[in-house]
Amino acid sequence: MDLLGLANYAVFMAILIGIYALLALGLNIQWGFTGLFNAGIAGFFAVGAYASAILTSLPASGRLGGYELPLVVGWLAAMAAAALIAWPIGKICLRFRSDYLAIATIGVAEIIRLVIRTEGWLTGGVRGVTGIPRPFGDLDYMPSQIAYLAIVATLVLVAYLLVERQVKSPWGRMMRAIRDNELAAAAMGKQVEARRLQAFVFGSALMGLAGALFVHFNRSVTPEAIDPMIATFLIWIMLILGGSGNNRGAILGAAVIWIIWSVSELLTDRLPTEVAVQAKYARVFIIGLTLQLVLRFRPEGILPERQPGAPPHR
Amino acid sequence: MKRKTIAGLVGAVLGAAVVAAPAHAQDVKIGLMAAISGPIAALAPPMAAASKLAVAHVNEQGGILNGGKLEAVLGDSACNPQNATDTATKAVNIDRVLAIVGPACSGAVLATANSVAVPAGVLLITPSGTSPEITKLADKDLVFRTLPSDDYQGRALARTLKARGIEKVAVAYLNNDYGKGLAESFKAEFEANGGTLAGYSGHEEGKASYRSELATLARGGADTLVIFDYGDGTGLTILRQSLENGFFKTFVGADGMKSEGLVKSIGAQNLDGFFVSAPVGEASASLDNFNKAYKAAGENIDAVFATTSYDAAFLAALAIEKAGGDKAKLAESLRAVAMAPGEPIMAGEWAKAKQLIAEGKDIDYKGAGGDHEFDAAGDVPGKYAFFKVSGTGYESVADMQ
Amino acid sequence: MSFLEFLNFHLVPGIVLGSVYAVGAIGITLVFGILRFAHFAHGDMATLGAFIALALVTAGLTPWAALPVAMAAVAVVAIVVDKLFYDYLKARPKIMTVMASLGVALMLRAVVQVVFGVDPRTYATGIVRPDDYFGILLRDRELYTLAAVVLIVVGLTLFLRHSRWGKAMRAMSDNPDLARLSGVDNRKVTMLTWAIVGALCAASGFMLGINNELQSMMGWQVLLPMFAAAILGGVGRVEGAVLGGLIVGVAEEMSIFILPAQYKAATAFVLLLLILLVRPRGLLNGKVL
Amino acid sequence: MALLDMKDVRGGYGDADILHGVSMTVGEREIVVIVGPNGAGKSTAMKSVFGLLAIRGGHIVFDGEDITAWAPDRIVQRGICYVPQVDNVFREMTVHENFEMGAFLRRGDLSAAYDRVYGLFPDLKAKRKNLAGDLSGGQRQMVAMGRALMLDPKLLLLDEPTAGLSPKYMEQIFQITRDVRDAGVSILLVEQHAKQALAFCDRGYVLATGANRHEGTGQALLADREVAEMFLGG
């Protein structure tokens, strides 16, 4: 057996897990710590992806872009753009119970998708943006993958440390108090809305960054990347499985679910042709069922939230 | 504990993969990346079946290289780049495929080429990615397609309509890379030839009603509606609602509309005014071969992208045979087997091709879906015919220029 | 554009589409009002109903005879889904149930895809040209659709207003704790609600199918317009859901006058965001949960 | 023998106990009031009767039968009805429908029960088709009591029926409570307005920190110096 091939696959999987971990961390800030049901992750992911793509890509006729700015600028812009979109949405929707926010964010993600598909002058429309630089992209396959993994891993680590610090600060304690106790939330009044908005915007910015990392990895982006199945619902399942309210849980959930999702295909590939196509639909069934089983038997996730003051989980 | 868990999981997964993938030394694998789930799910099963037919032909007629078995690994690219790159990475690294047939959607092709196939040096032949962006890829000559970029067909269709005396049309296109690409090139060519567009509008898939769009298009006064969409999808709805409301007299579609399901659903008696263009091979004997075999396999011969899927897999096999299994020579070998000059090879003629290659003779594959004379970018110029509905299927009425 | 054109190609299609949305939105509003969560599997349940009816039509029934059978079948499915996947979550935050319903949506869709495949299908082949009623063009199936919607709405309203269990459902929607104190068995009400909601799902899926084609994603694609309709009308209000459905349907067909056709799908969301902004209780003063 | 007999009841909503031993009785045709400072466990004590909290000690006997830890719907059928402090009407249903829901468990002819309720609350007769949510606070309280009386209970539990009402309405509610008692129903109620409540009740209990503090007739408690100082603000 070819170990090099397996290693290549593992590196690739790790890169995607890193990108999903960023999305899950972003969602954890919104849902895990604050209780905000964002069902439009794909929208913020897309905004970040396109913002960075437009700013850093090679020039192309018929659309905005070709500024060839440095990557860091693109990534910062991705976070800023996602945050900028999140702000008015949060402003409108955070007053309501989470179901409304869920529906509203699905709607917003859908509008973002339609704008990206239709406004060719801005985003290249259905053809997307190509010619996006990838750091260390000129190296050979393996070194280039490893270099990209290093970048992604570093950013995940930085994001993790930042979020952990934030959560352990008075801000984080307050957010949890608000989430767990509506009365306390009401008593704190206006400030609560501001704090929730901060969490929503901060989480969305991380999602934007994940989008940027994704497009630089693929060197291209098209509207198909904004598929709610893969860019919204899978993230939810990752967070719930890993343990919402626990940042390590979010990262672990991203790893476990992506491995299940990816490896389940290796298994269905071994099936005879007649059932192989059917088995691909069954994969969607399995994801749905996994969610049910987690909710039923391990609703707190693999790594449950640590209560402040309680001994750390082992 | 977390690191241990992850390490454990990864270990278990890799272990499972090792056990699950026994490889025989002589066997060769290619990856089939169909968009089985996702927005164009309806197109995927016939495409996968066509590619598998090519693989079956290879194995029935002497196998590949030294009597090895050609194996097709079926992956789901789901029409999105996340799944496509994942499934391609597995195909390339775990299954060690030498070539990839697919992915189906252009966005997935771009991402897969950029982040998997080209860096890993694997040949990629897409049977349905039509975006002009694919032409522009910096692909080290590893990315090919067995159907023309949208550009050709749109322009050919525009010229054909003009030649048939149609001066004024309305265009309804599906807002994806396929529909929009065709619509743009059609528009440019039709207007350049002095035609008038009385209406031009895109639509999103999956809406329950398109009557208001159609009414608005009809208001332009054209008798002909050009539909760039899929006959197994929204195109069917558009055509039905136009017919039922009497918005237009004549309907013209591109290859995506050439669906037998559409004829079955609407009824041939209602489709007198419905025409489609579709790519055809010069040697139509090749298409006949394919149709016969495909029908015998229980499939519908008018399925969209079936011929191109067959050709992509067959070409991949030919290239591997020619290159003697050497990955580095695949691109060069593909050009050698697909392009003139050489002894013509029709669809299904694997044994003959294998023998000629063994004898060191040059061959030229004439595919079911076209002759596949690749240009420098790995694109093929299209040859098209104009079809009308006949019985439960389609019948060619004219060649197109 | 003549007035008749406006009626035939914009208003009437909008009303037909809106009626289908309305039937779906009634189900959503009932779940929202009585069981208090956003049911994301609603669209895919509608798909399932449409395909069950298709199986019956293939077996030889006429479409309109298949409808009641499909409604009964999906009613049972809805009750089973509740027992298996929602019921045990009722003591936990409602959002867990919302998430579970998302999982159910994926599972139902996969079942439809495995059993019926992914090709578009129709109940009947051929096309139906409309009849002319004093210049207004209508097809029989559209008339039947409108009649069925009216029948459903009137029947449901009478049931909720005047029957013992209909009142119990309203009481649960109004004040669940007090309903329990009054001796209303909430398990029975929940079951009854799911039976009605399942039947409504099947009806909306069927109507969508008979006016167009059936495909495995059809329900998911109309889920958000239906949610928009339910919230627009006011959560928990049956008559609000009907009004909301009609508004969303007509607005989608009219959007062509203002926006490029690609943005048609966005109409419902824009309406939804606007209503949340200016009048979160909806037009008919529903609940804000 | 008393209609309701609570003995040394302990329990709470979650894991922590709120009641640390509460005992009280309610006799036939008696109005008993529970008063005490905030957080004394007044409402909790009442809810324990109705099976709304986890009881970890003691007994509740009603009409000769031990009903400790029964589920509310069973208790309702046994003849105890409960009127919560807030959200105690179906706002989107008419007054008449509210009464109808109150009698949900009863089959057969309800005209006698309607007559009795409309007899007790004549004001509501004219408003029977109005939505309960559109009524004034006092009228809503009447609807809530009427709903509970539709099952013809032997014991009625009222949780702060006068909260937020004007003195005029408070007086009216007290008067109605007496009328209900005179119609043969025993009443246990929790009250914030301790002075007024003690003045009109038959007997009263003073609770503090989840346990009995004082008990006696209303007049006796009003006269008690300690009660007056500690709980009634002089």
Side-chain angles (χ1 to χ4, degrees):
Chain A
M1 190 60 208
D2 191 342
L3 286 174
L4 186 67
L6 283 179
N8 274 333
Y9 174 48
V11 170
F12 170 83
M13 233 175 6
I15 292 172
L16 276 188
I17 288 170
I19 291 169
Y20 281 106
L22 276 179
L23 287 168
L25 278 175
L27 184 63
N28 200 22
I29 299 170
Q30 297 178 342
W31 168 251
F33 299 118
T34 322
L36 306 174
F37 194 141
N38 178 356
I41 301 168
F44 302 104
F45 176 83
V47 168
Y50 272 92
S52 187
I54 290 167
L55 289 176
T56 61
S57 61
L58 302 170
S61 63
R63 67 165 167 81
L64 206 66
Y67 303 109
E68 298 187 64
L69 292 173
L71 284 180
V72 180
V73 177
W75 292 353
L76 289 175
M79 296 177 73
L84 216 63
I85 297 278
W87 191 77
I89 297 169
K91 208 65 183 147
I92 297 174
C93 300
L94 292 188
R95 312 175 264 159
F96 304 115
R97 214 184 76 154
S98 18
D99 307 41
Y100 287 81
L101 182 63
I103 296 160
T105 44
I106 290 182
V108 169
E110 195 58 23
I111 291 173
I112 290 173
R113 197 178 69 89
L114 288 174
V115 169
I116 286 174
R117 290 174 72 93
T118 308
E119 302 305 324
W121 59 271
L122 177 66
T123 61
V126 289
R127 285 184 187 162
V129 180
T130 51
I132 304 169
R134 168 158 154 193
F136 307 106
D138 296 334
L139 300 177
D140 279 345
Y141 182 55
M142 185 80 182
S144 163
Q145 302 275 95
I146 291 177
Y148 205 79
L149 176 59
I151 294 173
V152 171
T154 311
L155 286 173
V156 171
L157 187 70
V158 170
Y160 167 76
L161 292 175
L162 267 177
V163 177
E164 276 289 295
R165 214 185 72 172
Q166 193 70 356
V167 166
K168 285 184 181 139
S169 69
W171 185 89
R173 282 200 296 279
M174 179 174 165
M175 294 318 299
R176 269 180 303 215
I178 293 169
R179 180 197 63 188
D180 293 339
N181 189 339
E182 280 299 322
L183 278 180
M188 285 184 260
K190 267 260 171 253
Q191 219 191 341
V192 174
E193 267 185 39
R195 291 293 160 96
R196 280 185 167 169
L197 192 57
Q198 283 166 7
F200 191 67
V201 168
F202 183 26
S204 301
L206 277 186
M207 293 169 184
L209 178 62
L213 286 178
F214 181 73
V215 300
H216 288 279
F217 181 54
N218 285 333
R219 293 193 181 93
S220 65
V221 58
T222 54
E224 285 103 33
I226 321 167
D227 177 347
M229 172 67 221
I230 201 98
T232 295
F233 302 137
L234 215 52
I235 321 296
W236 267 102
I237 296 169
M238 287 168 176
L239 182 64
I240 299 291
L241 176 90
S244 70
N246 184 322
N247 289 319
R248 293 186 205 186
I251 296 171
L252 178 63
V256 172
I257 289 292
W258 186 253
I259 289 171
I260 292 179
W261 176 253
S262 177
V263 171
S264 71
E265 183 165 44
L266 280 179
L267 300 180
T268 59
D269 286 348
R270 314 290 150 200
L271 295 169
T273 324
E274 303 81 61
V275 290
V277 170
Q278 242 94 41
K280 307 286 177 191
Y281 307 138
R283 221 148 66 100
V284 176
F285 187 89
I286 289 169
I287 283 291
L289 191 64
T290 310
L291 178 64
Q292 306 296 358
L293 294 176
V294 171
L295 285 175
R296 176 147 223 167
F297 298 108
R298 188 86 188 165
E300 71 280 16
I302 302 174
L303 297 179
E305 182 177 354
R306 281 165 295 173
Q307 290 308 317
H313 248 281
R314 293 169 45 80
Chain B
M1 115 116 204
K2 177 193 68 169
R3 216 156 296 133
K4 265 192 200 156
T5 315
I6 293 179
L9 274 169
V10 170
V13 163
L14 296 183
V18 171
V19 175
H24 299 293
Q26 300 195 319
D27 291 358
V28 170
K29 287 182 182 175
I30 58 171
L32 299 184
M33 297 178 52
I36 293 168
S37 58
I40 62 160
L43 302 180
M47 288 173 68
S51 295
K52 292 251 178 182
L53 180 64
V55 172
H57 283 162
V58 170
N59 290 330
E60 285 160 11
Q61 301 178 27
I64 198 158
L65 300 177
N66 299 321
K69 201 166 153 261
L70 182 63
E71 219 183 292
V73 181
L74 182 65
D76 180 13
S77 65
C79 207
N80 68 51
Q82 290 95 326
N83 270 331
T85 52
D86 179 49
T87 198
T89 303
K90 280 180 289 198
V92 166
N93 290 306
I94 304 277
D95 293 305
R96 308 303 279 172
V97 302
L98 292 178
I100 291 171
V101 173
C105 299
S106 296
V109 173
L110 292 172
T112 306
N114 275 325
S115 74
V116 187
V118 175
V122 169
L123 189 66
L124 185 150
I125 310 174
T126 175
S128 57
T130 54
S131 166
E133 296 292 332
I134 295 173
T135 308
K136 297 184 211 153
L137 276 171
D139 60 6
K140 300 183 191 157
D141 207 25
L142 283 166
V143 179
F144 293 85
R145 48 183 158 187
T146 51
L147 82 175
S149 154
D150 309 316
D151 223 34
Y152 295 94
Q153 188 174 187
R155 289 180 190 279
L157 192 56
R159 288 192 297 270
T160 305
L161 292 192
K162 276 291 295 176
R164 293 174 77 89
I166 296 170
E167 298 290 334
K168 193 170 169 189
V169 299
V171 174
Y173 65 90
L174 177 65
N175 191 30
N176 73 358
D177 59 308
Y178 172 76
K180 184 155 192 188
L182 281 167
E184 280 176 356
S185 57
F186 176 87
K187 180 171 189 252
E189 187 78 7
F190 197 67
E191 286 179 341
N193 283 299
T196 314
L197 283 190
Y200 182 78
S201 111
H203 52 262
E204 287 293 318
E205 64 189 346
K207 296 308 293 176
S209 165
Y210 293 97
R211 272 192 272 179
S212 57
E213 287 97 318
L214 289 168
T216 310
L217 285 173
R219 224 164 279 138
D223 284 339
T224 303
L225 177 67
V226 181
I227 307 170
F228 293 119
D229 200 329
Y230 302 111
D232 290 330
T234 314
L236 174 60
T237 315
I238 299 254
L239 183 59
R240 174 195 300 277
Q241 293 187 349
S242 305
L243 283 168
E244 289 187 339
N245 292 286
F247 285 136
F248 297 92
K249 290 199 182 71
T250 310
F251 301 89
V252 177
D255 51 351
M257 288 296 283
K258 187 165 167 274
S259 144
E260 201 166 279
L262 180 148
V263 178
K264 204 156 77 187
S265 166
I266 291 183
Q269 71 279 12
N270 298 313
L271 288 170
D272 287 344
F274 178 57
F275 301 92
V276 292
S277 68
V280 283
E282 192 158 26
S284 61
S286 184
L287 182 60
D288 292 344
N289 280 0
F290 168 77
N291 284 348
K292 222 169 107 195
Y294 198 53
K295 212 169 199 167
E299 299 287 336
N300 167 8
I301 56 168
D302 284 312
V304 187
F305 304 132
T307 54
T308 54
S309 298
Y310 178 89
D311 289 348
F314 203 80
L315 278 170
L318 284 173
I320 291 166
E321 181 77 22
K322 174 88 179 173
D326 182 350
K327 208 162 122 183
K329 288 192 196 153
L330 281 179
E332 175 195 329
S333 305
L334 179 63
R335 288 186 178 278
V337 297
M339 295 162 69
E343 183 75 14
I345 296 293
M346 306 295 154
E349 296 184 330
W350 175 257
K352 181 179 169 192
K354 190 176 167 72
Q355 167 136 29
L356 289 170
I357 291 172
E359 290 166 7
K361 290 191 179 141
D362 196 7
I363 59 168
D364 176 17
Y365 178 62
K366 305 276 187 200
D371 291 349
H372 307 310
E373 298 293 320
F374 296 113
D375 67 10
D379 284 354
V380 289
K383 270 213 170 294
Y384 300 92
F386 205 55
F387 292 83
K388 69 169 187 179
V389 174
S390 157
T392 58
Y394 294 84
E395 180 191 321
S396 167
V397 287
D399 284 340
M400 287 164 59
Q401 290 308 309
Chain C
M1 179 175 50
S2 73
F3 180 63
L4 271 183
E5 265 183 39
F6 172 77
L7 276 184
N8 282 328
F9 304 135
H10 299 280
L11 192 62
V12 169
I15 289 173
V16 173
L17 182 64
S19 313
V20 179
Y21 286 163
V23 176
I26 293 172
I28 285 171
T29 218
L30 285 178
V31 180
F32 226 148
I34 296 172
L35 306 170
R36 290 171 194 262
F37 73 95
H39 186 222
F40 280 4
H42 206 85
D44 290 286
M45 235 175 224
T47 311
L48 181 70
F51 275 92
I52 289 176
L54 178 71
L56 294 165
V57 169
T58 318
L61 258 64
T62 65
W64 291 96
L67 175 61
V69 187
M71 285 171 76
V74 180
V76 174
V77 170
I79 291 172
V80 172
V81 163
D82 175 56
K83 291 269 177 260
L84 284 179
F85 300 122
Y86 303 152
D87 191 51
Y88 69 95
L89 287 167
K90 68 177 173 227
R92 299 172 46 88
K94 280 297 170 203
I95 210 72
M96 293 292 166
T97 320
V98 177
M99 222 169 300
S101 74
L102 206 58
V104 169
L106 298 181
M107 290 160 76
L108 288 176
R109 188 184 314 161
V111 167
V112 168
Q113 289 177 335
V114 168
V115 177
F116 297 97
V118 289
D119 290 335
R121 311 277 289 271
T122 47
Y123 290 120
T125 59
I127 57 169
V128 184
R129 295 221 160 75
D131 297 322
D132 190 327
Y133 298 86
F134 312 106
I136 298 177
L137 303 173
L138 279 170
R139 281 159 203 79
D140 285 350
R141 60 165 199 250
E142 288 165 347
L143 284 176
Y144 289 141
T145 302
L146 293 176
V149 172
V150 171
L151 208 68
I152 286 171
V153 171
V154 170
L156 192 62
T157 309
L158 287 177
F159 173 77
L160 289 175
R161 281 234 165 178
H162 297 295
S163 77
R164 177 178 154 81
W165 282 100
K167 284 177 189 165
M169 281 173 67
R170 278 166 60 214
M172 269 279 277
S173 161
D174 192 329
N175 190 334
D177 292 334
L178 193 62
R180 215 164 34 244
L181 292 182
S182 305
V184 175
D185 183 342
N186 60 6
R187 280 173 320 176
K188 278 189 194 152
V189 172
T190 305
M191 214 162 135
L192 178 66
T193 306
W194 280 117
I196 293 173
V197 168
L200 288 172
C201 274
S204 65
F206 173 83
M207 287 170 192
L208 203 60
I210 200 155
N211 284 293
N212 287 292
E213 294 87 31
L214 297 96
Q215 0 140 356
S216 56
M217 294 291 287
M218 62 194 265
W220 182 251
Q221 276 154 346
V222 294
L223 179 69
L224 286 156
M226 286 174 178
F227 261 109
I231 292 175
L232 196 65
V235 168
R237 298 262 175 206
V238 171
E239 60 290 11
V242 175
L243 182 67
L246 289 174
I247 291 175
V248 171
V250 171
E252 282 197 350
E253 292 296 302
M254 302 281 174
S255 69
I256 189 90
F257 298 129
I258 317 170
L259 287 168
Q262 289 98 316
Y263 283 117
K264 190 174 182 181
T267 320
F269 309 129
V270 173
L271 274 177
L272 176 70
L273 291 178
L274 281 180
I275 197 79
L276 284 178
L277 193 60
V278 298
R279 201 180 156 91
R281 302 181 77 89
L283 297 173
L284 291 191
N285 216 13
K287 292 188 222 320
V288 169
L289 297 173
Chain D
M1 200 188 86
L3 181 65
L4 177 77
D5 193 356
M6 267 175 91
K7 266 220 180 68
D8 203 25
V9 169
R10 296 157 193 283
Y13 300 104
D15 293 333
D17 280 357
I18 297 173
L19 304 182
H20 306 283
V22 174
S23 304
M24 55 183 68
T25 62
V26 180
E28 302 269 1
R29 288 180 174 248
E30 192 178 28
I31 297 177
V32 174
V33 67
I34 309 174
V35 296
N38 277 333
K42 304 186 293 288
S43 289
T44 312
M46 171 175 281
K47 285 176 185 164
S48 74
V49 176
F50 204 66
L52 291 173
L53 76 161
I55 296 177
R56 280 180 283 268
H59 294 282
I60 302 172
V61 175
F62 176 71
D63 204 9
E65 190 169 8
D66 189 333
I67 60 164
T68 316
W70 280 22
D73 53 329
R74 220 171 139 205
I75 295 174
V76 168
Q77 300 204 25
R78 191 67 185 73
I80 301 180
C81 282
Y82 169 67
V83 180
Q85 179 185 349
V86 289
D87 286 335
N88 51 18
V89 296
F90 298 108
R91 295 168 154 267
E92 285 160 23
M93 299 177 92
T94 64
V95 169
H96 194 74
E97 283 174 336
N98 265 276
F99 292 164
E100 215 179 325
M101 287 317 296
F104 190 77
L105 289 169
R106 266 172 79 166
R107 299 289 186 144
D109 187 17
L110 294 173
S111 51
Y114 287 126
D115 286 348
R116 196 170 80 134
V117 173
Y118 285 122
L120 280 168
F121 310 108
D123 291 2
L124 295 180
K125 193 147 195 178
K127 306 210 162 190
R128 60 204 299 270
K129 293 222 156 47
N130 290 30
L131 293 185
D134 295 342
L135 301 180
S136 69
Q139 285 172 329
R140 256 200 315 244
Q141 195 62 42
M142 293 180 205
V143 174
M145 286 170 69
R147 182 200 61 79
L149 287 170
M150 283 299 290
L151 273 183
D152 207 359
K154 292 194 179 117
L155 173 66
L156 189 61
L157 309 175
L158 301 177
D159 196 349
E160 301 203 22
T162 65
L165 295 187
S166 65
K168 183 188 123 211
Y169 267 122
M170 182 164 71
E171 208 33 66
Q172 199 179 353
I173 294 291
F174 284 156
Q175 183 53 49
I176 289 167
T177 309
R178 275 191 216 107
D179 294 345
V180 171
R181 188 261 321 264
D182 294 344
V185 182
S186 302
I187 288 159
L188 176 64
L189 82 163
V190 168
E191 259 303 336
Q192 285 286 1
H193 304 104
K195 244 189 213 167
Q196 294 89 330
L198 288 175
F200 101 100
C201 71
D202 296 322
R203 280 190 310 115
Y205 290 88
V206 181
L207 298 192
T209 59
N212 287 48
R213 205 51 169 283
H214 300 274
E215 59 181 275
T217 63
Q219 295 306 328
L221 286 172
L222 274 176
D224 188 307
R225 271 193 86 78
E226 196 185 345
V227 172
E229 272 173 19
M230 288 181 72
F231 305 120
L232 306 177

